PDB file of all heavy atoms in Angstrom:
ATOM      1  N   VAL A 272      20.182  -0.053  -0.394  1.00 98.00           N
ATOM      2  CA  VAL A 272      21.058   0.648   0.556  1.00 98.00           C
ATOM      3  C   VAL A 272      20.874  -0.057   1.938  1.00 98.00           C
ATOM      4  O   VAL A 272      19.966  -0.837   2.113  1.00 98.00           O
ATOM      5  CB  VAL A 272      20.645   2.113   0.669  1.00 98.00           C
ATOM      6  CG1 VAL A 272      20.995   2.822  -0.638  1.00 98.00           C
ATOM      7  CG2 VAL A 272      19.224   2.260   1.087  1.00 98.00           C
ATOM      8  N   HIS A 273      21.700   0.309   2.858  1.00 97.00           N
ATOM      9  CA  HIS A 273      21.577  -0.258   4.224  1.00 97.00           C
ATOM     10  C   HIS A 273      20.484   0.440   5.033  1.00 97.00           C
ATOM     11  O   HIS A 273      20.417   1.728   4.894  1.00 97.00           O
ATOM     12  CB  HIS A 273      22.923  -0.147   4.978  1.00 97.00           C
ATOM     13  CG  HIS A 273      23.958  -1.037   4.437  1.00 97.00           C
ATOM     14  ND1 HIS A 273      25.265  -0.748   4.285  1.00 97.00           N
ATOM     15  CD2 HIS A 273      23.888  -2.332   4.043  1.00 97.00           C
ATOM     16  CE1 HIS A 273      26.038  -1.682   3.820  1.00 97.00           C
ATOM     17  NE2 HIS A 273      25.213  -2.759   3.641  1.00 97.00           N
ATOM     18  N   ILE A 274      19.722  -0.237   5.789  1.00 97.00           N
ATOM     19  CA  ILE A 274      18.738   0.299   6.653  1.00 97.00           C
ATOM     20  C   ILE A 274      19.242   0.040   8.042  1.00 97.00           C
ATOM     21  O   ILE A 274      19.570  -1.099   8.448  1.00 97.00           O
ATOM     22  CB  ILE A 274      17.333  -0.248   6.477  1.00 97.00           C
ATOM     23  CG1 ILE A 274      16.337   0.311   7.392  1.00 97.00           C
ATOM     24  CG2 ILE A 274      17.341  -1.779   6.462  1.00 97.00           C
ATOM     25  CD1 ILE A 274      14.920  -0.059   7.054  1.00 97.00           C
ATOM     26  N   SER A 275      19.387   1.140   8.849  1.00 95.00           N
ATOM     27  CA  SER A 275      20.126   0.999  10.158  1.00 95.00           C
ATOM     28  C   SER A 275      19.235   0.924  11.409  1.00 95.00           C
ATOM     29  O   SER A 275      19.663   0.373  12.429  1.00 95.00           O
ATOM     30  CB  SER A 275      21.080   2.193  10.268  1.00 95.00           C
ATOM     31  OG  SER A 275      20.408   3.417  10.196  1.00 95.00           O
ATOM     32  N   ASN A 276      17.949   1.462  11.361  1.00 97.00           N
ATOM     33  CA  ASN A 276      17.145   1.443  12.580  1.00 97.00           C
ATOM     34  C   ASN A 276      15.689   1.615  12.184  1.00 97.00           C
ATOM     35  O   ASN A 276      15.316   2.186  11.161  1.00 97.00           O
ATOM     36  CB  ASN A 276      17.538   2.514  13.433  1.00 97.00           C
ATOM     37  CG  ASN A 276      17.091   2.341  14.933  1.00 97.00           C
ATOM     38  OD1 ASN A 276      17.606   1.415  15.579  1.00 97.00           O
ATOM     39  ND2 ASN A 276      16.201   3.111  15.303  1.00 97.00           N
ATOM     40  N   ILE A 277      14.833   1.034  13.081  1.00 98.00           N
ATOM     41  CA  ILE A 277      13.413   1.147  12.937  1.00 98.00           C
ATOM     42  C   ILE A 277      12.795   1.588  14.210  1.00 98.00           C
ATOM     43  O   ILE A 277      13.167   1.029  15.302  1.00 98.00           O
ATOM     44  CB  ILE A 277      12.766  -0.180  12.377  1.00 98.00           C
ATOM     45  CG1 ILE A 277      13.332  -0.610  11.095  1.00 98.00           C
ATOM     46  CG2 ILE A 277      11.260  -0.047  12.365  1.00 98.00           C
ATOM     47  CD1 ILE A 277      12.854  -2.006  10.622  1.00 98.00           C
ATOM     48  N   THR A 278      11.858   2.594  14.196  1.00 97.00           N
ATOM     49  CA  THR A 278      11.177   2.995  15.455  1.00 97.00           C
ATOM     50  C   THR A 278       9.714   2.977  15.243  1.00 97.00           C
ATOM     51  O   THR A 278       9.213   3.508  14.190  1.00 97.00           O
ATOM     52  CB  THR A 278      11.688   4.408  15.802  1.00 97.00           C
ATOM     53  OG1 THR A 278      13.132   4.395  15.970  1.00 97.00           O
ATOM     54  CG2 THR A 278      11.069   4.891  17.096  1.00 97.00           C
ATOM     55  N   VAL A 279       8.981   2.474  16.198  1.00 97.00           N
ATOM     56  CA  VAL A 279       7.576   2.502  16.172  1.00 97.00           C
ATOM     57  C   VAL A 279       7.128   3.173  17.493  1.00 97.00           C
ATOM     58  O   VAL A 279       7.304   2.652  18.571  1.00 97.00           O
ATOM     59  CB  VAL A 279       6.929   1.115  16.087  1.00 97.00           C
ATOM     60  CG1 VAL A 279       5.374   1.182  16.087  1.00 97.00           C
ATOM     61  CG2 VAL A 279       7.482   0.391  14.865  1.00 97.00           C
ATOM     62  N   GLY A 280       6.526   4.365  17.380  1.00 93.00           N
ATOM     63  CA  GLY A 280       6.158   5.113  18.651  1.00 93.00           C
ATOM     64  C   GLY A 280       7.515   5.501  19.302  1.00 93.00           C
ATOM     65  O   GLY A 280       8.315   6.198  18.728  1.00 93.00           O
ATOM     66  N   THR A 281       7.647   4.981  20.475  1.00 92.00           N
ATOM     67  CA  THR A 281       8.874   5.221  21.302  1.00 92.00           C
ATOM     68  C   THR A 281       9.780   4.077  21.304  1.00 92.00           C
ATOM     69  O   THR A 281      10.848   4.097  21.869  1.00 92.00           O
ATOM     70  CB  THR A 281       8.572   5.647  22.683  1.00 92.00           C
ATOM     71  OG1 THR A 281       7.801   4.613  23.334  1.00 92.00           O
ATOM     72  CG2 THR A 281       7.731   6.925  22.730  1.00 92.00           C
ATOM     73  N   GLU A 282       9.441   2.968  20.672  1.00 95.00           N
ATOM     74  CA  GLU A 282      10.191   1.685  20.737  1.00 95.00           C
ATOM     75  C   GLU A 282      11.017   1.677  19.477  1.00 95.00           C
ATOM     76  O   GLU A 282      10.533   1.818  18.336  1.00 95.00           O
ATOM     77  CB  GLU A 282       9.328   0.474  20.805  1.00 95.00           C
ATOM     78  CG  GLU A 282       8.630   0.342  22.131  1.00 95.00           C
ATOM     79  CD  GLU A 282       7.844  -0.929  22.256  1.00 95.00           C
ATOM     80  OE1 GLU A 282       8.358  -1.933  21.715  1.00 95.00           O
ATOM     81  OE2 GLU A 282       6.753  -1.008  22.889  1.00 95.00           O
ATOM     82  N   ASN A 283      12.350   1.516  19.580  1.00 94.00           N
ATOM     83  CA  ASN A 283      13.204   1.329  18.472  1.00 94.00           C
ATOM     84  C   ASN A 283      14.091   0.114  18.527  1.00 94.00           C
ATOM     85  O   ASN A 283      14.404  -0.394  19.693  1.00 94.00           O
ATOM     86  CB  ASN A 283      14.078   2.561  18.281  1.00 94.00           C
ATOM     87  CG  ASN A 283      15.145   2.742  19.389  1.00 94.00           C
ATOM     88  OD1 ASN A 283      16.191   2.175  19.271  1.00 94.00           O
ATOM     89  ND2 ASN A 283      14.780   3.539  20.357  1.00 94.00           N
ATOM     90  N   PHE A 284      14.522  -0.414  17.402  1.00 94.00           N
ATOM     91  CA  PHE A 284      15.333  -1.600  17.337  1.00 94.00           C
ATOM     92  C   PHE A 284      16.113  -1.626  16.058  1.00 94.00           C
ATOM     93  O   PHE A 284      15.751  -0.937  15.088  1.00 94.00           O
ATOM     94  CB  PHE A 284      14.462  -2.851  17.492  1.00 94.00           C
ATOM     95  CG  PHE A 284      13.399  -3.024  16.403  1.00 94.00           C
ATOM     96  CD1 PHE A 284      13.662  -3.567  15.199  1.00 94.00           C
ATOM     97  CD2 PHE A 284      12.081  -2.501  16.651  1.00 94.00           C
ATOM     98  CE1 PHE A 284      12.669  -3.773  14.228  1.00 94.00           C
ATOM     99  CE2 PHE A 284      11.128  -2.674  15.661  1.00 94.00           C
ATOM    100  CZ  PHE A 284      11.411  -3.249  14.435  1.00 94.00           C
ATOM    101  N   SER A 285      17.136  -2.380  16.071  1.00 96.00           N
ATOM    102  CA  SER A 285      17.973  -2.582  14.848  1.00 96.00           C
ATOM    103  C   SER A 285      17.503  -3.781  14.095  1.00 96.00           C
ATOM    104  O   SER A 285      17.109  -4.806  14.649  1.00 96.00           O
ATOM    105  CB  SER A 285      19.438  -2.871  15.260  1.00 96.00           C
ATOM    106  OG  SER A 285      19.982  -1.709  15.917  1.00 96.00           O
ATOM    107  N   PRO A 286      17.341  -3.594  12.694  1.00 97.00           N
ATOM    108  CA  PRO A 286      16.867  -4.712  11.896  1.00 97.00           C
ATOM    109  C   PRO A 286      17.845  -5.941  12.038  1.00 97.00           C
ATOM    110  O   PRO A 286      19.038  -5.769  12.277  1.00 97.00           O
ATOM    111  CB  PRO A 286      16.942  -4.132  10.495  1.00 97.00           C
ATOM    112  CG  PRO A 286      16.939  -2.641  10.713  1.00 97.00           C
ATOM    113  CD  PRO A 286      17.633  -2.371  11.999  1.00 97.00           C
ATOM    114  N   GLU A 287      17.240  -7.113  11.873  1.00 96.00           N
ATOM    115  CA  GLU A 287      18.007  -8.313  11.895  1.00 96.00           C
ATOM    116  C   GLU A 287      18.181  -8.936  10.528  1.00 96.00           C
ATOM    117  O   GLU A 287      17.196  -9.430   9.975  1.00 96.00           O
ATOM    118  CB  GLU A 287      17.357  -9.355  12.878  1.00 96.00           C
ATOM    119  CG  GLU A 287      17.335  -8.951  14.323  1.00 96.00           C
ATOM    120  CD  GLU A 287      16.590  -9.981  15.179  1.00 96.00           C
ATOM    121  OE1 GLU A 287      16.194 -10.994  14.620  1.00 96.00           O
ATOM    122  OE2 GLU A 287      16.483  -9.707  16.368  1.00 96.00           O
TER     123      GLU A 287
END
Side-chain angles (χ1 to χ4, degrees):
V272 296
H273 289 141
I274 179 171
S275 55
N276 199 69
I277 299 171
T278 303
V279 181
T281 59
E282 296 188 30
N283 68 83
F284 58 88
S285 298
E287 295 180 0

